Amino acid sequence: RPVVVSGLTAWRAAIEDSYKLVTGLGGGAVLHDLSENPYEDVNIADRNPDVVARLMNVIDLAREQV
């Protein structure tokens, strides 16, 4: 499954399907379902730990390749 990873300074983001995970903003991981919440104002990380773990793993792998 394709995943887009981006980052600048301390923050990182990974987008997979409709999920977008952002880290490094100082408050822990933030997960949004862009199909349900296009304005990104509801953090669903607590309700989707499996998605957070999977996308965190992708971000960690991308960091290792840089």
Side-chain angles (χ1 to χ4, degrees):
R1 186 183 281 187
V3 177
V4 175
V5 178
S6 181
L8 182 63
T9 60
W11 73 268
R12 297 287 183 264
I15 301 172
E16 176 188 57
D17 298 326
S18 65
Y19 289 111
K20 178 179 178 183
L21 179 75
V22 180
T23 65
L25 299 176
V30 177
L31 180 69
H32 302 290
D33 182 343
L34 300 176
S35 68
E36 299 287 327
N37 182 29
Y39 298 108
E40 301 179 30
D41 57 355
V42 177
N43 182 1
I44 60 170
D46 291 341
R47 293 180 288 189
N48 296 276
D50 56 328
V51 176
V52 172
R54 182 173 66 244
L55 293 179
M56 286 295 292
N57 187 49
V58 170
I59 288 172
D60 291 341
L61 289 173
R63 280 186 184 160
E64 291 174 7
Q65 295 177 1
V66 174

